[in-house]
Amino acid sequence: MGTLYWDENDMLDIKPSQKDGEEKDLSIKLEWDSSGSKKQERVKQAEKKVKAQKYEPTWEEVWVTGYTSHTGTFKKGIFQSKASASDLEKLQQVKTATENGEIQVGVQSMKKYTKAHALRMYKELLVIRRDSTIEKMIREMPDNYYLINTIPAFEELLEDLHKEKEIAVDTETTGLNYFGTYQAEQDLIVGISITLPKADYHVYIPIRHTEGEQLPVQYVADGLKPILESETIKKILFNAKFDIHMFLNDFGVRLGGFEFCGLVGFKLLNENEKSYKLKDLASKYGKHFGFVDRSAPYEELFGKNGFEDVEFTSEQDARGRGIGVIYACKDTHLTYEFYKKFVCVHYDRLPKIKRLYHDIEKPILEVCIDMEQNGFLLDLAFAKEYSNELEIKIEALKADLHYYFGDININSVPQLQKALYDDLELPDITKNRKTDAKTLKKLRTMHKGVQVLLDYRDLNKLKSTYIDPLPLKVAKSDQRLHGTFNQVDTATGRFASKNPNLQNLPKEARSMISAPKGKIIFGSDYSQIEPRVLAHMADDETMINRYKNGEDLYMHMASEVFELPIEYCGDGVKDPTGTYEPRKRIKAVLLGIMYGMGAFTLSESIGSTVEVAQNLIDDFYETYPKIKKFVEDTHKEAEEQEFVETMFGRKRRFVGHKKVAQQYKEIVRKIVNRHKQHGIHLLEKDIKDALKADRKRSNDEKIVPFKLGKQFWEIQGKYHSANRQAVNTKIQGTSADIMKLAMIAVRPICTKYEIKMLATIHDEILFESDRNITREQVEEIEEAMKSVVNLKVPFKCDVEFMEQWGSGVDKEKWFQ
């Protein structure tokens, strides 16, 4: 026999191998040498690659499990990739509709079926469903849904409305812009829907649709005005602030008798809901108030157009009612049912939440409307001049950047990474080649170009985000900038704002906001409201007495914690060694504790090592044991009941935290015991450092098994995050509630003296008044803010007057 092998030229050959005297064997023995094995492996890999290229992923792989592509890359399933709650719902609908044969796959190869393609198929699905959905809705329209487009029907409606004690109201509009800007026209009311509970029917009154018989706008506005302004007929709305603005700006009617806003009211019941759209809530909770259907979203029925193009008549209905009638009537119908049979039921079960709504959130909504209607005067001439100045500075910085980094796109992350870490060979301190501001600030002492880059980004953001866009958002009607204030957008209840976001507005951009001729802007700012709330809630006598005696809290805290003479603890004064400012450092520690900051974050805040930061926290707690107890009790409260409350009953829920806490503590116990077996006494706060040290040991010397260490890292973030949020909620949430009560309290004072409330930013309220405002009027506002609640510590307000926001003088200097 012979041996089959590959020669050095990869040619097949047979080499005789029998010995003399042996019988010839008809079989051929195949023996592959090393080079033959490699050749065979290459053939196998080529065949495997061809097979992989031909492989078609299954429907399950594309959507759920994912699969490995022919390049060896793992492609996640569509449901494994990140998606918003809205997109997730759309994707699920596409998957179900395709499986049911409602729509086609839409691609020749399943390798091209991506998340983006699925979302495109959703649009096709909407088109397919639209006509059948509308036909079904019209066919199943309740008998007590009425179209009001004749004078007799409208007059009869007005008679019935006067007999009602409460009604649900909603507006359909051309869009969402109720003030209008230089870029967009003011949106208008297209129609009004009303639910009459006593009469048991629901109506839609079209007034500005592009087609169909309708009543005149002014006729409807005049007829509804007494009803809308009535304080005795209570109004139930879903997005109340929007509808109140629409009635005010379009009809010139300020809604009276406002009773309930479903959007605000429900957020107090569940701040963790995925969607707060009325129809999403109705679909989810409708079984509790007799609604078991899936509510079709607006976009699914009408696309992104305004309501003016929606048909409100139809030949398919015996009474001529169209899709516009059922859609609009359903809004107020659901709003009322949701309020009466769901929210009110839970409010009666949760009296603190009910009181929170009626005492704080309901009246503060009216304050929000005042502030949004008032708006700010923007100094457009200043904005233009400042924009030109910034442009010159930015161009100069661009020239400097070209000098330091060469001809690169400075806004391109890959190009910047190459310039910083490859060309300049700066240290990659994050190990991820990051180019964010936090990282660049740590690199700026190593190369002059880094500081130039930071300056360029700051000025470019200031110009492109604030100085240039904000003047374009000024309303044509009054030349003022009307922002939006959201009273329940944060979990703590603190105010948020947008267009502009006043909390983030840089000082330089604030200068655009100015007082009109003959007017002045003044702000009344709570001094140290959160530390005062902490002192009250922790019942710390030392802090309470400092505030009662009018002493500088941070100065005395620094003296006590650092054991320094008081003269080293003043504002701007350094310790005896000249190393740090004790007052500034202790303020960072206290704020860190209130915001649930750990030693690592605190160390970055004060520019120290983690060990120094941890020692500072320990020393603080040793000096102020009641604050430590308050923090620990709050953690325990969050673990045991999975929620915490502010002083006024606002809840923040931590669903599943009890189980997380149990798992975390069990893992900590195991790690501590492991170290104990090695003669090491380990504290919980030192576990992270211990695990990092353990990584450097050989496998035989490791104290903590890899799996146990991994479990700790996976769960500790969740556990500590909930604890931080719990402490922050009790302090910041209570402070936010107090600020809202203060705004409610000063509102009648503003009305009395014709003062405009402009905004709230953190712990400050901004006002606009005549320049001849008196000291007594200002102090009346201060007193209202200071006496709004009775704590164990007194409140203090700092008042500042300014021509332009951010540049002012204190009260004493102003009245001199």
Side-chain angles (χ1 to χ4, degrees):
M1 65 179 180
T3 300
L4 186 67
Y5 74 104
W6 297 90
D7 67 13
E8 60 185 1
N9 296 316
D10 283 345
M11 297 295 289
L12 191 65
D13 196 7
I14 299 178
K15 180 179 180 181
S17 60
Q18 71 195 66
K19 295 180 181 179
D20 291 340
E22 288 184 344
E23 294 184 4
K24 291 183 179 180
D25 193 335
L26 297 176
S27 63
I28 297 177
K29 182 180 178 184
L30 300 178
E31 295 178 359
W32 304 91
D33 64 12
S34 60
S35 64
S37 297
K38 291 178 181 177
K39 179 68 176 181
Q40 184 189 41
E41 184 60 30
R42 286 198 296 271
V43 171
K44 286 182 178 179
Q45 289 298 327
E47 291 174 346
K48 188 177 179 181
K49 188 174 182 180
V50 171
K51 186 177 180 182
Q53 286 175 328
K54 292 180 178 179
Y55 178 73
E56 278 289 304
T58 65
W59 183 249
E60 186 74 5
E61 287 173 334
V62 166
W63 279 97
V64 183
T65 62
Y67 63 96
T68 303
S69 71
H70 69 277
T71 61
T73 305
F74 180 76
K75 300 196 73 161
K76 289 182 179 180
I78 292 171
F79 285 150
Q80 291 177 317
S81 60
K82 288 183 179 180
S84 65
S86 174
D87 280 353
L88 199 59
E89 183 185 349
K90 292 175 184 177
L91 292 167
Q92 185 61 62
Q93 286 189 46
V94 168
K95 183 174 184 289
T96 304
T98 309
E99 291 167 350
N100 293 341
E102 194 176 351
I103 54 173
Q104 300 300 311
V105 172
V107 289
Q108 291 183 338
S109 169
M110 288 306 295
K111 284 183 281 190
K112 294 183 179 180
Y113 201 104
T114 61
K115 175 184 166 186
H117 172 73
L119 289 173
R120 285 193 294 270
M121 293 305 296
Y122 176 75
K123 293 179 180 178
E124 290 193 23
L125 178 62
L126 292 186
V127 174
I128 293 169
R129 283 179 172 175
R130 182 183 182 276
D131 291 342
S132 59
T133 301
I134 289 175
E135 184 180 339
K136 180 175 182 291
M137 289 175 69
I138 292 174
R139 187 173 63 250
E140 297 176 354
M141 191 184 314
D143 290 336
N144 63 348
Y145 283 16
Y146 289 90
L147 169 63
I148 307 295
N149 63 341
T150 65
I151 289 176
F154 186 68
E155 294 297 329
E156 186 178 344
L157 169 65
L158 293 180
E159 287 183 20
D160 287 344
L161 282 170
H162 282 290
K163 299 172 187 175
E164 295 287 339
K165 292 183 178 179
E166 59 184 14
I167 58 174
V169 184
D170 186 45
T171 60
E172 301 297 345
T173 65
T174 56
L176 305 177
N177 190 340
Y178 36 71
F179 287 109
T181 67
Y182 280 100
Q183 291 181 311
E185 292 295 326
Q186 175 185 329
D187 283 305
L188 302 171
I189 296 174
V190 168
I192 302 121
S193 54
I194 305 173
T195 284
L196 294 79
K198 185 179 178 182
D200 190 26
Y201 69 88
H202 320 269
V203 303
Y204 180 60
I205 314 163
I207 57 172
R208 283 198 183 98
H209 283 257
T210 51
E211 292 183 3
E213 181 186 351
Q214 301 162 77
L215 295 169
V217 174
Q218 198 58 50
Y219 171 73
V220 171
D222 292 342
L224 289 178
K225 184 176 181 180
I227 306 293
L228 295 173
E229 290 182 340
S230 170
E231 293 292 344
T232 57
I233 302 175
K234 300 302 178 186
K235 316 300 188 307
I236 316 301
L237 306 98
F238 186 74
N239 187 358
K241 188 151 66 77
F242 177 82
D243 293 315
I244 293 172
H245 275 308
M246 289 306 302
F247 282 128
L248 192 55
N249 292 356
D250 194 354
F251 285 7
V253 171
R254 179 70 183 237
L255 193 76
F258 165 60
E259 180 65 17
F260 192 75
C261 173
L263 179 62
V264 171
F266 185 78
K267 279 195 174 184
L268 300 185
L269 289 175
N270 184 10
E271 75 282 4
N272 298 316
E273 193 70 43
K274 288 183 179 179
S275 169
Y276 291 96
K277 294 178 180 178
L278 172 61
K279 289 181 170 59
D280 289 341
L281 294 175
S283 297
K284 183 174 181 179
Y285 297 104
K287 59 186 176 182
H288 299 290
F289 52 90
F291 179 79
V292 292
D293 193 11
R294 173 188 167 271
S295 212
Y298 183 92
E299 184 181 331
E300 184 175 315
L301 294 174
F302 313 121
K304 295 184 178 180
N305 297 329
F307 206 71
E308 66 272 18
D309 295 325
V310 175
E311 296 175 348
F312 58 83
T313 58
S314 172
E315 294 179 358
Q316 298 174 26
D317 180 64
R319 287 154 53 188
R321 301 167 300 170
I323 184 61
V325 175
I326 184 171
Y327 186 88
C329 287
K330 197 174 188 181
D331 271 351
T332 52
H333 189 180
L334 286 178
T335 294
Y336 188 78
E337 293 293 298
F338 183 61
Y339 160 71
K340 204 72 176 178
K341 298 179 181 177
F342 185 77
V343 176
C344 285
V345 170
H346 286 287
Y347 273 21
D348 290 340
R349 183 178 62 86
L350 302 165
K352 283 196 265 186
I353 295 291
K354 184 177 183 178
R355 188 165 57 248
L356 174 67
Y357 174 79
H358 286 286
D359 291 352
I360 297 181
E361 295 303 342
K362 176 185 166 185
I364 204 66
L365 188 143
E366 301 266 21
V367 176
C368 282
I369 292 165
D370 289 348
M371 293 192 300
E372 292 178 4
Q373 284 287 331
N374 290 334
F376 300 95
L377 179 70
L378 224 58
D379 189 336
L380 299 180
F382 169 81
K384 186 176 181 180
E385 183 181 339
Y386 191 33
S387 176
N388 292 335
E389 288 179 17
L390 288 174
E391 184 64 33
I392 294 169
K393 291 179 180 178
I394 289 169
E395 288 304 315
L397 289 171
K398 280 182 180 179
D400 291 343
L401 289 172
H402 185 271
Y403 170 78
Y404 287 118
F405 298 111
D407 188 17
I408 69 167
N409 178 359
I410 207 68
N411 298 314
S412 166
V413 173
Q415 291 185 39
L416 190 57
Q417 287 173 330
K418 181 179 180 300
L420 291 172
Y421 299 115
D422 297 335
D423 300 340
L424 297 179
E425 297 181 350
L426 296 179
D428 183 10
I429 54 179
T430 65
K431 308 302 179 187
N432 289 309
R433 294 168 67 88
K434 287 187 176 181
T435 61
D436 60 293
K438 185 178 178 181
T439 304
L440 293 179
K441 285 177 181 177
K442 294 177 181 177
L443 297 173
R444 60 185 168 187
T445 57
M446 303 177 189
H447 192 278
K448 291 180 180 179
V450 178
Q451 182 60 58
V452 176
L453 176 59
L454 285 167
D455 293 341
Y456 163 78
R457 283 184 175 179
D458 286 344
L459 293 188
N460 195 49
K461 181 180 179 180
L462 177 63
K463 184 177 187 296
S464 62
T465 306
Y466 302 106
I467 305 301
D468 289 347
L470 289 185
L472 299 177
K473 295 178 181 179
V474 167
K476 290 181 183 178
S477 56
D478 60 5
Q479 305 296 302
R480 292 173 77 96
L481 178 66
H482 299 271
T484 301
F485 295 92
N486 194 321
Q487 66 199 76
V488 286
D489 201 42
T490 64
T492 60
R494 202 170 196 180
F495 263 103
S497 62
K498 62 181 181 179
N499 296 323
N501 181 341
L502 295 171
Q503 283 77 8
N504 291 347
L505 200 64
K507 183 180 178 182
E508 297 86 350
R510 288 184 175 190
S511 298
M512 290 192 296
I513 294 172
S514 61
K517 189 174 181 180
K519 304 285 185 179
I520 193 70
I521 294 173
F522 71 95
S524 184
D525 188 2
Y526 274 122
S527 173
Q528 299 179 13
I529 185 173
E530 289 175 7
R532 291 173 197 267
V533 167
L534 173 61
H536 173 85
M537 297 183 86
D539 195 24
D540 187 282
E541 295 91 345
T542 304
M543 289 180 70
I544 291 169
N545 288 332
R546 296 290 181 214
Y547 281 126
K548 281 185 175 179
N549 297 332
E551 297 169 336
D552 186 319
L553 176 71
Y554 298 129
M555 180 187 289
H556 286 277
M557 272 189 167
S559 177
E560 290 157 356
V561 173
F562 300 130
E563 298 180 347
L564 291 172
I566 198 75
E567 57 264 27
Y568 289 106
C569 303
D571 192 12
V573 180
K574 289 193 174 182
D575 72 311
T577 65
T579 308
Y580 64 95
E581 296 178 27
R583 186 184 185 279
K584 185 177 180 181
R585 180 164 285 194
I586 204 66
K587 182 179 179 180
V589 173
L590 180 59
L591 293 176
I593 287 169
M594 289 192 295
Y595 297 141
M597 201 182 288
F600 176 77
T601 309
L602 178 62
S603 68
E604 290 193 325
S605 175
I606 63 177
S608 73
T609 63
V610 176
E611 184 180 9
V612 167
Q614 185 59 58
N615 288 337
L616 273 174
I617 294 173
D618 294 342
D619 290 346
F620 183 89
Y621 279 146
E622 186 177 342
T623 310
Y624 293 91
K626 283 201 171 182
I627 294 180
K628 182 181 182 182
K629 184 178 185 304
F630 167 76
V631 170
E632 291 173 345
D633 287 349
T634 302
H635 292 171
K636 187 177 179 182
E637 189 180 328
E639 289 175 22
E640 291 179 352
Q641 59 189 28
E642 296 194 333
F643 70 85
V644 295
E645 291 179 320
T646 68
M647 277 176 54
F648 302 92
R650 186 183 306 277
K651 281 188 177 183
R652 186 169 188 180
R653 299 154 185 88
F654 305 101
V655 181
H657 182 54
K658 188 172 186 177
K659 184 178 180 181
V660 168
Q662 290 169 347
Q663 292 173 340
Y664 171 80
K665 289 179 178 179
E666 178 60 21
I667 291 168
V668 166
R669 186 188 64 80
K670 289 179 180 179
I671 293 174
V672 169
N673 284 342
R674 285 269 180 179
H675 282 79
K676 190 175 182 181
Q677 292 167 11
H678 287 74
I680 302 171
H681 178 64
L682 184 67
L683 297 175
E684 180 183 340
K685 65 184 177 66
D686 297 323
I687 287 179
K688 289 182 182 180
D689 290 335
L691 290 177
K692 289 175 183 176
D694 208 35
R695 287 176 186 169
K696 299 175 183 178
R697 298 188 179 100
S698 64
N699 290 334
D700 295 336
E701 296 175 331
K702 285 189 184 300
I703 297 173
V704 180
F706 173 78
K707 185 177 180 181
L708 182 60
K710 184 181 178 184
Q711 289 174 340
F712 173 82
W713 289 114
E714 286 175 349
I715 203 167
Q716 61 89 24
K718 296 178 184 177
Y719 174 74
H720 290 302
S721 175
N723 282 345
R724 285 194 298 271
Q725 291 172 7
V727 174
N728 185 36
T729 296
K730 295 197 85 166
I731 301 169
Q732 191 183 91
T734 297
S735 301
D737 289 341
I738 292 171
M739 172 56 83
K740 287 178 177 178
L741 286 169
M743 295 167 73
I744 294 164
V746 301
R747 188 184 183 216
I749 301 173
C750 290
T751 303
K752 181 168 63 173
Y753 298 126
E754 296 184 347
I755 297 169
K756 288 183 176 180
M757 201 185 311
L758 301 181
T760 173
I761 305 95
H762 301 307
D763 307 320
E764 181 180 20
I765 309 174
L766 282 184
F767 305 90
E768 183 185 291
S769 73
D770 287 333
R771 295 182 68 88
N772 60 2
I773 187 172
T774 67
R775 178 189 286 268
E776 289 72 26
Q777 290 170 343
V778 172
E779 289 177 350
E780 191 174 341
I781 288 174
E782 280 185 85
E783 190 55 38
M785 291 179 67
K786 290 191 289 186
S787 60
V788 72
V789 291
N790 186 23
L791 300 187
K792 296 167 188 173
V793 295
F795 282 117
K796 179 177 180 290
C797 292
D798 297 323
V799 177
E800 186 179 44
F801 289 81
M802 50 210 127
E803 303 275 358
Q804 290 180 303
W805 186 24
S807 305
V809 297
D810 62 33
K811 183 177 70 176
E812 294 306 317
K813 191 170 182 180
W814 172 259
F815 283 113
Q816 284 175 3

